[in-house]
Amino acid sequence: MKEYDFKQIETTWQKYWKDNQVYKVTEDPAKPKCYVLDMFPYPSGAGLHVGHPLGYIASDIYARYKRLTGHNVLHPMGYDSFGLPAEQYAIQTGQHPAITTQTNINRYREQLDKIGFSYDWSREVRTSDPAYYKWTQWIFIQLFHSFYNCKSNKAEPIKNLVAVFEKEGFHDDINKTFTGNIEHDVKPFSAEAWKAFTEKEQHDILMNFRLAYLAESYVNWCPALGTVLANDEVKDGVSERGGHPVERKLMMQWSLRITVYAERLLNDLEGIDWTESLKEAQRNWIGKSSGSSLKFEIENSKFEIEVFTTRPDTIFGVTFLTLAPEHELVNSITTPDRKKAVDEYVTMAKNRSERERMADVKKITGEFTGTYAIHPFTGKQIPVWIGDYVLAGYGTGAVMAVPAHDSRDHAFAKHFGLDIVQVIETPAGFDIQAESYDAKEGQCINSDFLNGLDVKRSIKRAIEEIEQKQIGKGKTNYRLRDAIFGRQRYWGEPIPVYYKDGIACTLEESELPLLLPEVDKYLPTETGEPPLGRASNWKKDGQYEYELSTMPGWAGSSWYFLRYMDPHNDKELVSKEAVEYWKNVDLYLGGSEHATGHLLYVRFWTKFLFDLGIIPVDEPAKKLINQGMIQGVSSFIKQWVYETNWSDKIDLKPGEEIKVFASNNKNVIQPFLYKGKLYENPRGHARYAPIEYSDANGRMVYDDLLRFSKEAMFKSTYGEIDIENDIIWEIDEKTNERFILLDQQVEKMSKSKYNVVTPDNIVEDYGADTLRLYEMFLGPLEQSKPWNTQGIEGVHRFLKKLWKLFYDLDGNALWKEEAPDKKEWKAVHKLIKKVAEDIENFSFNTSVSSFMICVNELTDLKCNKKAALQDLLLCLSPYAPHITEELWKALGNTGSINIATFPVFNPEYLVEDSFNYPVSINGKHRTNIEMSLTLAQPEVEALVLADENVQKWLEGKTPKKIIFVKGKIVNMVL
Ligand code: ANZ
């Protein structure tokens, strides 16, 4: 071949790999295993952009390198194919999400194939495939039939708990030592009572202990979308998608009891090689804190308020109690004269999400309930307030407020004029009325039996006293909440549950999978039930109603790493053999946005399956790396056009018609809008007013930030437009070019921001090998970086230069059998060492420059020796698999380069035989002289004294002494 024809080479080898199943892997006990996993993508309609393959390329390099170094590598890929976008599309168009999903998967596959990944596609999984979700449902059923035994410290079958109930009933001791103090309101009962309970009563009790359970809990409910949203799907009190109001609502929901694993999830972080920042994110999310629970009696009533505090040492500084607005006692204890104000406040607070309430510390709001509690040690009256800085979902949803030593309580006290009583000594000059002293150090004052003790000791002492008085006990709290598991959505795994006489029952394994039923529309029913409520005869055996909610997006991804080990097994989720061999992931690569969602859930399910003895490991991934984000450049309209006039400011009334056009200075960019109405801006973006416009089909579309780029998707989103007549262009008088002003900004690359660059064009123009090398060349894997194509030519030229080491301009082979000399070997062995180290250290960008250096050196040395070139190809093959395959074969090798062996680094080639000695006279550095390292002092002295430069400095004198350190220096004393 004359020139580097990447198109032909890449097509040929991709076909060869596919036809020969080069990357197919089987369990092989004779070889060490290595499991390299990418976070599998959600196949969205937009396809891959250049940001997606960044991590895939890095892990592919690692996988290929491991194969070359004798490992049996499992490197699979699949699709996280249940999810909201396909469903939203289904709602809009009526097209079944399965069809959309399949189309998108085809597109992903096509794109992935073009980049030359070494995936074993025979192991592909899709979470929306019934053969896959059968086992997701199966795991749910196991969770349902398990509880957490805190004595053995693991999940166990719930029948073990039933056995205890049958033998001993349920009492405090069992609660403490067996069921692990989880939140429940099961009253003690005897063994006889248990046996006498009805089936329904027994089930209701067990529901309090199951790891998958139904309970009422607070959720972010979005009435417009008809579903519950996760905290991270709510922004500023409205849904992230669509901007609809979200309220807090108490709902009967399926949840998973992840909280029982809090301690293990926390401790086991120590044993895994994940980045410190990721571990810290998980630690914070789990949020362990220890302190004490404590009960306050309510004056003249039977009610008590239990608080959780980390500072029982400040008990004598309590001047009021604050309840979360949702606290169950609010209604019962509020006095009639305060009822109206309190009710109004509760309604207001309900509409703010938990996140928002935590974040918004400045706005202080609250109401007095009119009621007083009694201080357990002083007997004083303590006013009871409600305030939304107290969260319903944390601790007991009530705090004992110590304004002197807690800043939030302090702000509240100041705002409402409540007392501030100091109980910890402060440094001189500190004004406790002006600000709180939150530091956990100092001695107790004004605190009766705690006086004089330091914080640490007084906490201990206070807990002893509290426990003795039986008004509370030492307690550890976690910020982690149980995970809500039901979604009022269509495109997810049906929860394999039916209801028989009000009892939730699970299906038998033989009845799985419970297939997602067909529905006429993907919307909630007229009566507000989830879409599954539309399915006809959605009943088990035609009589018992099935559960209507489906599983959340994270269910399928919480165990997929296991399924790849044995993807076609229809008897088990994974065979013992396969999982004993592959164990867990050796390298897991994905985005940091999953730090507290997916990565916590997958650890939870892994531990659970480990407890059940199904798998031999209790962590999913030994090593995890987050690739940085590749950012895009977004273009914003700088100016708006109203009719034909430019104006910097928008001075339009909502509903008024406008015309908007856009271009950047140089390139004409497609206009994105021809007619629209200015829309009232609900979120206060000053500059870019949201607009409402109709698309080609006359549907109203709403967008709040208008963004677009060259690939503004004009056609797909906005329909056809007559560029000449629908647009009035601004003309640059000098150049006669038409333009519209744009602002540019670097931000996340995403379809919704219209700043996407796809890998397809780059593969088309330069080839996959260039794309792979270039993405690595952009910078350290873990860093975020904007996409720019400035350097891509350089990388492509490098591959052409490599080609020229093999072929002359007429396409004649240049390689020779002759053995490389020392200099040539040195160039290659420097590379071998560097690439091996770089890949082991995940420093992929630095290897790329080493390849360039090596090729330059060999070119300069005019080295075409086969042995040297062969090793160079092996080093490069993980990065640029196509060109290296082609040249490998050209050199006369048989079989894929993938099954060859990575060259062994020989340090001898790097041993230098000469050294550039610095020469000093009287301690001053004067010159350098290159001399062989084999020379001893007398020969060195002779050479140095003969040196012209040295003679100049000596000015005819003879040195008294010459100090010589081999391989370091020469120093002359005059
Ligand atoms: C009295 C006190 C005195 C407190 C003091 C702090 C300092 P962490 O460390 O995050 O666990 N708290 C308890 N439940 C709460 C809830 N549902 N919403 C908001 N705040 C709540 O924080 C525990 C501390 O946060 C508890 O200790 C309680 O205030 C408050 F000088 O009690 B503390």
Side-chain angles (χ1 to χ4, degrees), residues 289 308-311 314 389-391 394 397-400 402 405-406 408 479:
S289 64
F308 169 70
T309 176
T310 46
R311 298 292 304 275
T314 62
Y389 75 99
V390 179
L391 306 176
Y394 187 64
V399 305
M400 58 175 225
V402 184
H405 304 289
D406 181 283
R408 292 160 304 176
R479 202 158 283 279

Side-chain angles (χ1 to χ4, degrees), residues 714-784:
F714 189 82
K715 272 175 260 144
S716 56
T717 318
Y718 307 109
E720 292 301 322
I721 188 167
D722 177 345
I723 293 190
E724 289 310 320
N725 296 317
D726 288 341
I727 298 159
I728 303 148
W729 296 93
E730 193 69 358
I731 311 278
D732 182 319
E733 283 173 14
K734 281 191 210 127
T735 62
N736 241 3
E737 271 179 333
R738 307 187 296 178
F739 70 93
I740 288 166
L741 291 180
L742 290 181
D743 261 350
Q744 300 216 311
Q745 195 179 312
V746 171
E747 58 181 353
K748 183 178 172 177
M749 193 175 278
S750 125
K751 188 187 171 198
S752 63
K753 301 190 195 309
Y754 297 112
N755 61 4
V756 164
V757 185
T758 68
D760 311 51
N761 296 347
I762 301 195
V763 170
E764 182 65 26
D765 295 346
Y766 299 99
D769 285 340
T770 299
L771 173 77
R772 293 170 61 107
L773 280 163
Y774 187 62
E775 290 229 4
M776 293 299 100
F777 192 52
L778 279 178
L781 179 62
E782 291 171 83
Q783 236 166 52
S784 288

